[in-house]
Amino acid sequence: MDAVDLGVNLFVALFALVDPIGNVPIFAAATAGASMRQRLSVSFLICVFIVVFLAFFFFTGLGLLQFFGISLAAFRIAGGILLLLLGLDMTREDFLKMFADADAVADAKDVRGYARRRFQRLVVPFAMPLLIGPGAISTIIIQAGEAEKIGPTGQAAGVVAIVAAGLATFACFALTGPISRLLGEVGMAIIVRVLGLILCALAIQFILMGLSEALPGMISGAVTTPYPQGGH
């Protein structure tokens, strides 16, 4: 594997794991009533956080986990629990109301203040672990090991892939306005609830994978890897 292959593979993996397209309805609910400038400011802060956080783990992730004595299995389980709680909240009738911030959107000119308040509210659990979950961090750490083998060009390719994933996420969230207008309030509520159910299932999958790594042989491989590549 050369630097170009590593960069392309990492970008594709991160885009699939962050899944900005699938998370547009949640971002729309979180910024309901905001002006275009306000929504773009929130999106920018979240995407900067994604890039900085992923880059941080790209260079120090494995060492950081080792320093605190945290295994990837434990990280998967913890992330799965957070995702499960978020998924359960999303299936509730008042989930969209919990993001309401009427005071912040009352003044369309209050761009910086609104962006700061929304960002603080969305760092957890939206930015992490919904966007940046155990899968994305595990992928970053694994690819960081490959980049070290290639050398400086490999590390540069990894950083470029991370920045590209952040820009792609920003582009998707920038289209939140037209998408939310197209779906309407009822459509948004339905999609968020369906995504909540899917998120609960994904959270359980993370927990099962973490338990299978922590307790080998306890959980069947057919459960942790139900659709193996190349299987029929």
Side-chain angles (χ1 to χ4, degrees):
M1 177 184 295
D2 58 17
V4 175
D5 291 336
L6 183 143
V8 172
N9 292 340
L10 181 57
F11 169 77
V12 173
L14 288 177
F15 187 81
L17 290 167
V18 173
D19 191 18
I21 297 177
N23 285 302
V24 162
I26 301 176
F27 181 75
T31 56
S35 66
M36 176 62 73
R37 290 183 60 193
Q38 289 174 329
R39 183 173 284 121
L40 288 177
S41 296
V42 178
S43 176
F44 175 76
L45 290 178
I46 290 176
C47 292
V48 168
F49 173 81
I50 290 174
V51 171
V52 172
F53 195 87
L54 290 178
F56 175 77
F57 264 91
F58 183 72
F59 290 104
T60 67
L62 187 56
L64 189 64
L65 293 181
Q66 291 175 347
F67 176 79
F68 286 106
I70 302 173
S71 66
L72 284 177
F75 194 86
R76 285 183 185 275
I77 295 172
I81 292 173
L82 285 175
L83 285 178
L84 179 60
L85 294 175
L86 176 61
L88 292 174
D89 282 340
M90 289 171 61
T91 59
R92 288 165 38 193
E93 183 177 355
D94 59 346
F95 174 76
L96 298 183
K97 296 179 181 179
M98 67 182 285
F99 289 103
D101 192 9
D103 293 337
V105 300
D107 184 2
K109 297 181 180 179
D110 182 21
V111 177
R112 292 185 178 180
Y114 173 80
R116 184 177 63 256
R117 286 188 289 267
R118 288 288 83 186
F119 175 70
Q120 291 174 349
R121 181 75 178 273
L122 295 176
V123 167
V124 176
F126 182 69
M128 181 181 179
L130 184 55
L131 295 178
I132 308 174
I137 294 177
S138 300
T139 299
I140 280 290
I141 293 175
I142 293 172
Q143 292 299 323
E146 295 296 324
E148 287 184 358
K149 297 177 182 178
I150 298 174
T153 56
Q155 293 181 333
V159 172
V160 170
I162 292 172
V163 173
L167 291 175
T169 301
F170 177 80
C172 292
F173 287 164
L175 298 175
T176 297
I179 293 175
S180 60
R181 287 193 295 271
L182 177 64
L183 294 176
E185 184 176 347
V186 175
M188 293 291 294
I190 293 174
I191 290 179
V192 167
R193 289 192 182 186
V194 172
L195 287 176
L197 177 60
I198 295 174
L199 192 59
C200 286
L202 181 61
I204 296 297
Q205 194 69 37
F206 276 139
I207 294 173
L208 289 173
M209 291 177 64
L211 290 174
S212 68
E213 293 175 4
L215 304 170
M218 178 180 177
I219 300 176
S220 171
V223 176
T224 57
T225 312
Y227 310 108
Q229 294 183 355
H232 297 281

